[in-house]
Amino acid sequence: MSGKTGDTEGSSQTLTAPAPFADETSCQCQAPHEKLTIAQARLGTPVDRPVRVYADGIFDLFHSGHARALMQAKTLFPNSYLLVGVCSDDLTHKFKGFTVMNEAERYEALRHCRYVDEVIRDAPWTLTPEFLEKHKIDFVAHDDIPYSSAGSDDVYKHIKEAGMFVPTQRTEGISTSDIITRIVRDYDVYARRNLQRGYTAKELNVSFINEKKYRFQNQVDKMKEKVKNVEEKSKEFVNKVEEKSHDLIQKWEEKSREFIGNFLELFGPDGAWKQMFQERSGRMLQAFSPRQSPTSSPTRGRSPSRSPSPPFPWLFNKASPPSSPKAASASLSSMSEGDEDEK
């Protein structure tokens, strides 16, 4: 029984191994099988065995809506064992229509759902008393919408009348029909997708003309993608250039302010250059101005009739300066003689 020792242990073993097929398991429910009411089952009785719940369906393109329905069926009662019946391809094609997945694929999908304890292959379209007795089924779980098929207004009507029906809720927005509708609606997209992945036109049942059209569209999409990538890279480059330009402008402004401040500090109205120029001008004036003896010094014997002559008489005389070095030396010698006479 694929690692299961009995249907009382189904819940824990389901998570570690695929659910077994009903026709392959050697373990059958051996406990006395008294009829239960829903109220009794919800109280957790009987203690010697789990409540056996049955859910059936096609389960084509197994999706979350299927899984949620099975989760509800599994958790209807405190201690339950969930059997899931899957109809064969022949019955399904006869009463409902063509399926995407074949029966073997649908059986395997159910075996690997965590809520399923046992899978019944080739389940009947309409439940019979013999089938219910064979599998010791206590209750049948399904959504409460009347299911008209096989010439009946509701194939679960007799189950409801027997008090064995427990309703579950459908999941809105997801169904096998919705998924197939999406594929049909976007057929061209999926055909092109599979051509790109290596499927042949024959495998996809695509005509020669459509194959060429789809391949051309794929090439156009690739070119669009390349152009998009180039545009994105160009935008990144432009953004980087703008960031660097902003940094350079900011640094240039900082340097400009620093240069202007230094210039004003040196050449402004109260700058260091003006002070230095004034100091040097004062020194030059002092160098060229005559020296005066201090007033407090004692007076020497001088002739009152003669006043001291300046050291460079041509600087203070309106007459022109000496015309030659010899004249200048003669003037200096005469000045020195005058100084000796005063002494």
Side-chain angles (χ1 to χ4, degrees):
M1 193 180 169
S2 301
K4 296 183 180 182
T5 58
D7 53 13
T8 58
E9 299 179 6
S11 299
S12 61
Q13 293 293 336
T14 301
L15 299 179
T16 59
F21 291 120
D23 54 356
E24 291 181 353
T25 178
S26 59
C27 180
Q28 300 294 330
C29 181
Q30 303 296 334
H33 204 81
E34 301 86 2
K35 183 175 178 60
L36 297 174
T37 65
I38 294 178
Q40 289 174 328
R42 285 176 175 164
L43 292 175
T45 57
V47 296
D48 57 343
R49 67 172 180 87
V51 178
R52 294 172 70 84
V53 179
Y54 176 80
D56 61 358
I58 310 303
F59 302 106
D60 191 22
L61 297 176
F62 189 81
H63 52 74
S64 61
H66 294 140
R68 288 178 66 84
L70 297 176
M71 178 186 70
Q72 293 177 62
K74 177 68 176 177
T75 57
L76 284 170
F77 308 109
N79 183 20
S80 62
Y81 184 85
L82 181 61
L83 301 94
V84 179
V86 185
C87 299
S88 66
D89 286 344
D90 290 340
L91 277 178
T92 304
H93 298 166
K94 179 181 178 180
F95 293 112
K96 190 170 185 178
F98 193 73
T99 59
V100 178
M101 299 169 67
N102 61 43
E103 59 184 31
E105 294 168 335
R106 293 185 285 113
Y107 296 154
E108 282 297 318
L110 267 298
R111 291 187 69 198
H112 293 84
C113 176
R114 63 183 298 176
Y115 310 113
V116 178
D117 295 305
E118 191 173 311
V119 175
I120 301 175
R121 291 183 283 198
D122 194 13
W125 199 260
T126 302
L127 300 178
T128 63
E130 294 77 18
F131 180 83
L132 298 174
E133 177 60 28
K134 176 183 177 181
H135 294 283
K136 307 296 186 198
I137 295 171
D138 293 306
F139 300 100
V140 177
H142 200 274
D143 63 80
D144 203 15
I145 300 173
Y147 194 86
S148 60
S149 180
S152 172
D153 293 336
D154 188 0
V155 295
Y156 297 105
K157 182 178 179 181
H158 64 293
I159 302 295
K160 295 174 181 178
E161 292 173 349
M164 298 176 64
F165 187 85
V166 185
T168 57
Q169 299 296 319
R170 293 178 65 88
T171 301
E172 296 298 329
I174 183 70
S175 70
T176 300
S177 298
D178 290 340
I179 295 173
I180 294 175
T181 300
R182 295 180 208 170
I183 296 172
V184 173
R185 181 188 61 204
D186 299 325
Y187 169 78
D188 287 359
V189 175
Y190 294 113
R192 289 166 53 192
R193 169 185 178 272
N194 281 6
L195 281 173
Q196 275 187 316
R197 297 194 172 191
Y199 288 88
T200 64
K202 184 178 180 180
E203 289 174 321
L204 297 173
N205 196 25
V206 173
S207 67
F208 176 81
I209 295 175
N210 283 337
E211 178 191 6
K212 298 304 178 185
K213 181 183 75 172
Y214 294 150
R215 293 194 184 279
F216 176 75
Q217 289 174 338
N218 288 337
Q219 293 297 325
V220 171
D221 289 345
K222 286 182 180 179
M223 290 299 298
K224 288 181 179 179
E225 189 67 25
K226 288 182 179 179
V227 171
K228 183 179 178 181
N229 292 335
V230 170
E231 288 179 350
E232 291 177 354
K233 290 180 179 179
S234 300
K235 288 180 180 178
E236 292 179 0
F237 176 76
V238 170
N239 291 335
K240 289 181 180 179
V241 170
E242 288 180 351
E243 291 176 1
K244 290 184 178 180
S245 300
H246 179 73
D247 293 340
L248 289 173
I249 291 172
Q250 188 174 4
K251 290 180 180 178
W252 182 83
E253 289 177 350
E254 293 176 356
K255 293 293 183 181
S256 298
R257 286 193 292 267
E258 183 180 353
F259 176 79
I260 292 171
N262 293 336
F263 182 85
L264 292 175
E265 184 178 350
L266 186 60
F267 297 102
D270 299 324
W273 180 261
K274 181 179 180 180
Q275 295 177 2
M276 184 175 64
F277 180 77
Q278 290 176 348
E279 290 177 359
R280 292 192 176 183
S281 299
R283 290 176 184 175
M284 291 178 66
L285 290 174
Q286 289 178 2
F288 290 110
S289 63
R291 295 182 181 178
Q292 297 180 358
S293 58
T295 55
S296 59
S297 60
T299 57
R300 296 179 180 178
R302 293 181 182 176
S303 174
S305 61
R306 295 183 63 182
S307 60
S309 60
F312 303 101
W314 64 83
L315 290 175
F316 304 98
N317 193 358
K318 292 182 180 180
S320 61
S323 59
S324 65
K326 291 182 178 180
S329 59
S331 176
L332 289 174
S333 61
S334 64
M335 289 174 60
S336 61
E337 290 175 359
D339 290 339
E340 288 176 0
D341 293 340
E342 290 179 359
K343 293 178 182 179

